[in-house]
Amino acid sequence: MAKGPEKNTKNKALHTKLLNKKKAKLQEEKRERALRLKALVAKMNEKKNSDESDIK
């Protein structure tokens, strides 16, 4: 009995690698965005606290 055509594992491996790189990049961007937002919130809270202390 003849075997079927050979599986195309090379392209599948490359595709998986590209998808993993894309996922990692998106996660890194999400992490950076969260850190920037956290820093901005801390800065605004500090400014708000200093404004309140100036008023009193």
Side-chain angles (χ1 to χ4, degrees):
M1 187 175 226
K3 292 184 178 181
E6 193 174 304
K7 298 277 184 182
N8 191 359
T9 56
K10 185 177 180 183
N11 279 347
K12 286 183 181 179
L14 289 175
H15 184 69
T16 302
K17 184 178 178 182
L18 285 173
L19 287 180
N20 288 340
K21 281 176 64 177
K22 182 178 178 181
K23 285 181 188 176
K25 182 180 177 183
L26 289 175
Q27 285 180 342
E28 182 63 29
E29 288 175 354
K30 186 176 180 180
R31 194 175 303 120
E32 288 175 3
R33 193 174 304 120
L35 287 174
R36 279 197 307 269
L37 185 61
K38 192 181 234 183
L40 183 63
V41 167
K43 182 180 175 183
M44 293 306 291
N45 284 339
E46 183 180 316
K47 182 180 179 191
K48 181 179 174 185
N49 289 340
S50 68
D51 287 347
E52 286 177 358
S53 64
D54 289 344
I55 293 173
K56 291 180 180 180

